[in-house]
Amino acid sequence: MASPSTAAPTATPSARFPPQIPFIIGNEACERFSFYGMRNILTVFLIDYLLRNAVPDEGARSAQAKSLMHLFMAGVYFFPLFGGYLADRWLGKYKVILSLSLVYCLGHACLAIFENNATGFYAGLVLISLGSGGIKPCVSAMVGDQFNESNKHLVKKVFAIFYWTINFGSFFASLTIPLTLKHFGPAVAFGIPGILMFIATVIFWMGRHHYVRVPPTGPNPHSFLKVVGSALRHRGQGSHWLDGATREHPAEAVEGAKAVFRISALLLPTIPFFWMLFDQKASTWVIQARAMDPQIGPVTFQPSQMQFINPALVMILIPLLVGVVYPALQRAGWELTPLRRMPLGLAVGALSYAIAGYYQVVIERGTTLNIAWQLLPYIVLTLSEILVSTTGLEFAYTQAPREMKGIMQSVWLLTSSLANVAVAIAAALNVFTGSGQFFFYGGLALVAAVGMALMARKFEVRDYYQLDTSGPVPDRAQPPLASLSK
């Protein structure tokens, strides 16, 4: 008899969520508070505490802090490849989430304990990037695993709650942890997120008897890398360079690999330029805020606190755009498709950096701006995030066949990792400083927007949906005929 953890999901009342969902949602809320709590103060901590004696010059210290922060973020978005592979092939999602959550907690402990020890602190960052990145692709997928035919109509609602929870945790972490750093010091400021991560792990563990656990598949003889390797061994066969792989792999696996390269050719040359903009709100924009007047009425804001604007706006703007703006444009005869949203989002992101760059020019001329001025570029950058990030994640999923959806999600996360590596290298070399860096990154995003818009005109959209989730798809690499007819 199958154990409760591995048995097929039982029917649940169609109007209610499965009882294990609150454990996953509670885990996500605490984990996101822990991550954004430590990340949002990382740049300021490196400048004001850890690097103060090692790098006396403040300009050089700020550049090094920025470089270290983006190297950390590159790891966070690289390790999902590792966590997703372990979960899908060998251990299953539950074991990966629980084990890497403990690694995550250990990393937080290192930050709190080694506030004056660079080696110990950096070790903590490595452990957090491994833990946070490793569980990233598993938690959201595990949410979907808890649903079956009787309640699949609730999946969209639960993912809306899940995404809202992420921003809920980020919002309160951004407001409270910078103040904790100022008033109680680094040990407490990094310790609180560590406690929240431990609570997140306990909450997840408490639901262990309720979860539906999809077993790992084991090695895939027709994986993406094996198809590519086969094609390289049998070059020159067929009209496409991957056609030679049909000698050793089924046609659907080869078609899936073609889809990965087709989508990657659109996303990899363009989307990293968005992440170069977006992730610098935790570094470059924080450094700019340090040069501004922090007093807004009776409240004194910490430079890192201004990051609370982003999650607050996300919770407001997504319902507005999805529920009002997109349908209104469609009724007017101009549908804002994913291939229109993403280039537009890149251009909007470039605008946010033009505004922030103008502020920096004014600051460099000797004028002290109030920190409230950052509200405008934050609004514009958040709009860019919704147009690019949420759209691109959906696009990468729908355009890939079922066998390749995992690899496409990995490619999507890889765009962020590559972007952060590039920013880290540029910051370490200290090539661009002051206002120049704002206009440089904004200009790159604008060029990427134009390039993506031109490539999108020739891109053939193929929506791959699994029509019947209860059984296999006979010709798994082919999209529905209705999709092709469009």
Side-chain angles (χ1 to χ4, degrees):
M1 184 175 181
S3 65
S5 61
T6 59
T10 57
T12 54
S14 60
R16 299 179 60 187
F17 288 130
Q20 61 269 34
I21 291 300
F23 294 104
I24 303 178
I25 296 296
N27 164 268
E28 185 68 10
C30 295
E31 186 273 327
R32 288 291 84 186
F33 184 103
S34 78
F35 177 78
Y36 287 109
M38 61 78 46
R39 192 208 68 168
N40 288 0
I41 63 171
L42 183 56
T43 301
V44 170
F45 167 77
L46 292 171
I47 294 173
D48 289 345
Y49 295 88
L50 193 64
L51 300 177
R52 175 171 287 276
N53 295 326
V55 187
D57 180 71
E58 185 171 356
R61 190 164 69 247
S62 296
Q64 185 171 338
K66 179 178 173 180
S67 178
L68 290 169
M69 203 286 293
H70 286 283
L71 279 177
F72 164 71
M73 290 299 296
V76 168
Y77 286 100
F78 174 79
F79 282 115
L81 301 175
F82 170 74
Y85 177 78
L86 276 183
D88 290 342
R89 297 285 185 261
W90 303 106
L91 299 178
K93 300 180 188 71
Y94 174 79
K95 290 182 179 178
V96 168
I97 294 171
L98 187 62
S99 58
L100 289 183
S101 291
L102 295 174
V103 173
Y104 202 160
C105 291
L106 182 60
H108 275 294
C110 288
L111 299 193
I113 294 170
F114 297 110
E115 59 174 300
N116 298 314
N117 184 300
T119 302
F121 189 87
Y122 296 153
L125 291 181
V126 172
L127 293 173
I128 290 177
S129 64
L130 173 59
S132 174
I135 69 174
K136 187 180 291 290
C138 302
V139 178
S140 57
M142 194 166 178
V143 172
D145 289 347
Q146 309 309 305
F147 292 82
N148 58 25
E149 286 291 329
S150 69
N151 56 7
K152 64 182 182 181
H153 62 285
L154 295 173
V155 171
K156 186 174 183 178
K157 183 177 180 180
V158 78
F159 273 107
I161 296 172
F162 187 80
Y163 193 78
W164 190 89
T165 300
I166 293 173
N167 288 280
F168 180 83
S170 173
F171 175 79
F172 283 101
S174 301
L175 278 178
T176 58
I177 299 301
L179 286 174
T180 306
L181 176 65
K182 178 184 178 183
H183 295 295
F184 299 100
V188 177
F190 287 118
I192 292 175
I195 293 171
L196 264 293
M197 187 57 222
F198 179 75
I199 294 173
T201 306
V202 171
I203 291 173
F204 182 75
W205 174 81
M206 288 171 63
R208 65 195 181 281
H209 297 305
H210 303 283
Y211 299 130
V212 174
R213 303 189 199 178
V214 176
T217 62
N220 180 6
H222 306 299
S223 68
F224 172 75
L225 292 179
K226 290 180 179 178
V227 169
V228 172
S230 177
L232 293 175
R233 289 193 302 271
H234 303 289
R235 292 187 297 272
Q237 301 182 23
S239 59
H240 193 282
W241 72 274
L242 283 168
D243 287 339
T246 54
R247 294 183 58 178
E248 300 174 345
H249 301 279
E252 59 265 23
V254 178
E255 289 299 321
K258 290 179 181 178
V260 170
F261 280 104
R262 187 167 57 91
I263 305 164
S264 298
L266 177 70
L267 299 182
L268 286 177
T270 56
I271 297 301
F273 294 101
F274 162 75
W275 293 116
M276 288 182 189
L277 306 184
F278 184 75
D279 284 337
Q280 286 190 73
K281 75 181 191 300
S283 60
T284 306
W285 287 29
V286 171
I287 293 171
Q288 182 186 72
R290 287 165 59 87
M292 292 179 157
D293 176 11
Q295 196 73 25
I296 302 179
V299 180
T300 301
F301 280 87
Q302 300 302 305
S304 299
Q305 270 187 300
M306 297 305 290
Q307 294 174 78
F308 86 91
I309 299 171
N310 174 250
L313 288 172
V314 166
M315 291 187 284
I316 296 170
L317 290 179
I318 284 184
L320 177 64
L321 288 174
V322 174
V324 179
V325 176
Y326 294 164
L329 290 174
Q330 189 171 10
R331 288 193 298 270
W334 191 72
E335 183 178 359
L336 202 56
T337 64
L339 289 178
R340 288 173 176 167
R341 288 182 217 163
M342 290 187 286
L344 177 61
L346 279 163
V348 171
L351 175 61
S352 73
Y353 266 63
I355 297 170
Y358 171 73
Y359 292 168
Q360 192 65 31
V361 170
V362 173
I363 292 170
E364 290 169 359
R365 290 175 178 172
T367 302
T368 301
L369 293 176
N370 190 276
I371 203 170
W373 283 101
Q374 279 201 326
L375 177 63
L376 177 58
Y378 265 108
I379 293 174
V380 179
L381 185 64
T382 303
L383 179 60
S384 171
E385 175 195 3
I386 296 169
L387 290 169
V388 176
S389 180
T390 57
T391 301
L393 190 62
E394 173 194 350
F395 183 80
Y397 180 85
T398 61
Q399 296 305 299
R402 184 176 67 176
E403 296 83 357
M404 298 297 170
K405 290 188 184 298
I407 193 70
M408 274 317 307
Q409 296 303 298
S410 299
V411 169
W412 175 257
L413 294 172
L414 189 61
T415 61
S416 181
S417 184
L418 293 173
N420 278 281
V421 169
V423 174
I425 293 173
L429 296 175
N430 208 11
V431 177
F432 295 98
T433 58
S435 58
Q437 62 188 325
F438 290 94
F439 296 118
F440 170 70
Y441 287 110
L444 288 178
L446 188 59
V447 171
V450 174
M452 191 177 200
L454 294 175
M455 288 189 289
R457 296 174 65 182
K458 299 181 179 180
F459 188 89
E460 183 182 357
V461 175
R462 298 182 181 182
D463 290 332
Y464 294 86
Y465 289 106
Q466 188 170 319
L467 299 179
D468 181 9
T469 57
S470 62
V473 179
D475 192 1
R476 295 173 295 171
Q478 296 302 319
L481 291 176
S483 175
L484 287 176
S485 66
K486 293 181 182 179

